[in-house]
Amino acid sequence: TGKLMYVMHNSEYPLSCFALFENGPCLIADTNFDVLMVKLKGFFQSAKASKIETRGTRYQYCDFLVKVGTVTMGPSARGISVE
């Protein structure tokens, strides 16, 4: 069985791409990482195109940064995120 890898993009770091491996390390690469993954289709199998997005408000109080947002998957809301 293979391990899962989640590829994420963050609007606060527009030039970076984050890849999280299941039970493993986190990889931070530039935005061309997506192009590399397309070229490695023989080694990696892409899951169905599910895009999860969080939109919300960012608050700053002294040294603390709190982000609250709504998590959506396609057209439907799935939950609330607090970071």
Side-chain angles (χ1 to χ4, degrees), residues 4-80:
L4 297 176
M5 180 178 69
Y6 303 96
V7 178
M8 296 183 292
H9 298 272
N10 188 337
S11 60
E12 291 190 14
Y13 304 99
L15 300 178
S16 297
C17 180
F18 303 92
L20 297 170
F21 293 93
E22 180 182 27
N23 299 326
C26 174
L27 172 72
I28 302 173
D30 63 0
T31 54
N32 291 333
F33 182 74
D34 291 334
V35 177
L36 177 65
M37 292 305 296
V38 170
K39 291 185 178 187
L40 295 175
K41 278 186 181 178
F43 300 101
F44 292 98
Q45 181 180 358
S46 179
K48 58 182 177 180
S50 58
K51 181 179 178 183
I52 298 174
E53 187 175 82
T54 303
R55 289 187 182 263
T57 309
R58 179 179 132 167
Y59 302 99
Q60 184 172 357
Y61 179 74
C62 296
D63 291 342
F64 296 99
L65 193 65
V66 179
K67 294 188 248 178
V68 180
T70 304
V71 179
T72 58
M73 185 173 178
S76 61
R78 294 289 188 183
I80 298 173

